[in-house]
Amino acid sequence: MITLRIAGGLLAVSTLAGATGCTASAQLTPAKTPTATAASEHPAETLTPLLQQALPNVKGKTFTSAVVSFPPRARAVPHRHGQAFVYAHVLEGTVRSKLDGKPATTYRQGQNWVEQPGAHHVLTENTSRTERAKLLVIFVSHTGDKLKVDDPRP
């Protein structure tokens, strides 16, 4: 129930911000288009910013929404979202997600989850070999913070 209340509140903020004529800030940049990879590697996800808005009643905090698209078999590099609170909602397809210290969970269209500030996201992947998956992701972060920081590659 709490997750639904949080989701409803975040979506209400998104709707309100959109209705007031806010647009995505130049600070947000989409993820680079994946390049050709070896057959053994997985394709990468892409991030498309929707809206970035300073929260008027919470000094130093910013609300950001984005769509994250996963082509078939795509997998994100393990990463963190700094001190952002993250809400993810599956728009289409099926995504498997695992936070450090928790079991992997599979989410289908219409399902959602939250990530606490500082969480280590060790797995995010599209489980399908043929269909894409898409997420609506909402971040409430410190203004100016990077929204995703990939783990260093070995």
Side-chain angles (χ1 to χ4, degrees), residues 20-43:
T20 60
C22 300
T23 59
S25 166
Q27 260 189 322
L28 274 181
T29 55
K32 293 180 182 172
T33 303
T35 57
T37 57
S40 65
E41 292 186 31
H42 294 271

Side-chain angles (χ1 to χ4, degrees), residues 41-80:
E41 292 186 31
H42 294 271
E45 81 283 12
T46 57
L47 180 139
T48 303
L50 299 174
L51 172 77
Q52 186 172 47
Q53 171 70 46
L55 294 176
N57 58 342
V58 186
K59 185 177 177 153
K61 295 289 186 177
T62 297
F63 169 95
T64 305
S65 63
V67 171
V68 180
S69 297
F70 291 85
R73 300 182 338 105
R75 180 180 292 168
V77 172
H79 59 277
R80 296 177 191 271

